[in-house]
């Protein structure tokens, strides 16, 4: 094997010109079919949408540089994918079961300033994933949140308490999200696993909701909009 072979092999100037022309057309195809998909833009993709984008992408890639694939074949492949996409999207609109099967369900992960533990225990999600997401939406602690829903596209929708309603809750930033070492009876502590918040008699106390035994000092600052 020669190193030059890897880079050039039997490529001729003619073929390079062909590649440029092929890319030009394939690029136009991609734009055309993405427009046909009816999506207005892409921020986050559900699994189903990701499957479509992957299929379109791989159908578009090879014909750009394989001299034995006529562009019409790529065109047929991409048309088929988009027709399937539109059909399935239509079916999902008509039937909720199909929608849940393909896109998944939105999950309520926080209620009244606490994690919904029913779902943590089932292992449907891990904390860290959306602790990060909540920090990005400048949530300082869980006591600021009335309801948080994990949408099927992976984004997090948050409904905040007003300043007056804000409760004591589990801190999310590293400075405060740590196991307490000293106990003061007047202070509120939050379970680091589920966010349950209460006074403690001692720091090795079991959380009544989830049986975890690590407690962080709670915060009660209101959310800054
Ligand atoms: Zn707990």
């Amino acid at each position: 094997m020669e190193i030059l072979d890897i880079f050039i092999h039997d490529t001729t100037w003619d073929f390079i010109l062909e590649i440029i022309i092929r890319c030009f057309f394939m690029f136009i195809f991609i734009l055309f079919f993405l427009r046909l998909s009816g999506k207005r833009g892409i921020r986050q993709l559900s699994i189903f949408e990701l499957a479509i984008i992957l299929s379109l992408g791989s159908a578009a890639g090879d014909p750009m540089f394989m001299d034995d694939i006529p562009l019409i074949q790529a065109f047929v492949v991409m048309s088929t994918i988009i027709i399937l996409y539109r059909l399935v999207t239509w079916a999902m609109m008509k039937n909720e079961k199909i929608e849940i099967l393909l896109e998944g369900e939105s999950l309520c992960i926080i209620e009244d300033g606490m994690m919904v533990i029913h779902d943590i225990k089932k292992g449907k999600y891990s904390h860290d994933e959306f602790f990060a997401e909540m920090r990005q939406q400048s949530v300082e602690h869980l006591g600021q949140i009335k309801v948080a829903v994990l949408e099927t596209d992976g984004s997090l929708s948050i409904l905040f308490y007003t300043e007056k309603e804000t409760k004591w809750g589990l801190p999310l930033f590293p400075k405060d999200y740590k196991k307490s070492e000293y106990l003061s009876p007047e202070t509120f502590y939050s379970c680091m696993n589920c966010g349950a918040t209460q006074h403690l008699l001692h720091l090795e106390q079991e959380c009544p909701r989830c049986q975890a035994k690590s407690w962080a000092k709670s915060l009660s600052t209101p959310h800054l909009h």
Side-chain angles (χ1 to χ4, degrees), residues 57-159:
S58 61
D62 289 351
M64 285 181 176
F65 62 93
M66 308 280 274
D67 62 351
D68 55 350
I69 305 181
L71 296 187
I72 179 82
Q73 292 180 5
F75 191 86
V76 173
V77 172
M78 293 167 91
S79 311
T80 312
I81 295 168
I82 286 299
I83 289 169
L84 278 175
Y85 176 76
R86 299 300 298 241
L87 271 177
V88 174
T89 312
W90 175 82
M92 287 198 303
M93 253 167 53
K94 295 279 165 195
N95 186 323
E96 202 182 335
K97 276 189 187 146
I98 297 179
E99 186 176 358
I100 291 173
L101 186 71
L102 289 168
E103 303 252 71
E105 260 181 301
S106 51
L107 272 181
C108 187
I109 57 165
I110 293 181
E111 239 171 24
D112 304 323
M114 287 182 289
M115 318 276 298
V116 179
I117 48 173
H118 176 68
D119 289 331
I120 307 185
K121 280 191 175 160
K122 276 202 261 167
K124 279 193 187 165
Y125 51 76
S126 76
H127 293 109
D128 310 357
E129 263 177 74
F130 43 73
F131 272 15
E133 173 77 30
M134 286 188 272
R135 286 193 292 266
Q136 278 164 14
Q137 299 199 32
S138 60
V139 180
E140 200 178 353
H141 63 93
L142 294 188
Q144 298 176 338
I145 298 180
K146 194 172 188 176
V147 181
V149 173
L150 187 61
E151 308 291 356
T152 51
D153 66 1
S155 65
L156 200 61
S157 309
I158 301 179
L159 202 60

Side-chain angles (χ1 to χ4, degrees), residues 169-208:
L170 177 67
L172 299 181
F173 285 83
K175 182 170 76 71
D176 299 305
Y177 182 81
K178 59 183 177 213
K179 216 173 155 170
S180 273
E181 285 165 14
Y182 305 101
L183 181 78
S184 67
E186 270 90 75
T187 313
F188 278 103
Y189 291 88
S190 299
C191 168
M192 292 177 74
N193 187 45
C194 76
T197 297
Q198 59 176 79
H199 293 298
L200 292 178
L201 296 172
H202 57 91
L203 283 168
E204 294 305 308
Q205 209 163 313
E206 208 172 71
C207 167

Side-chain angles (χ1 to χ4, degrees), residues 25 28 65:
F25 282 109
I28 291 178
F65 62 93

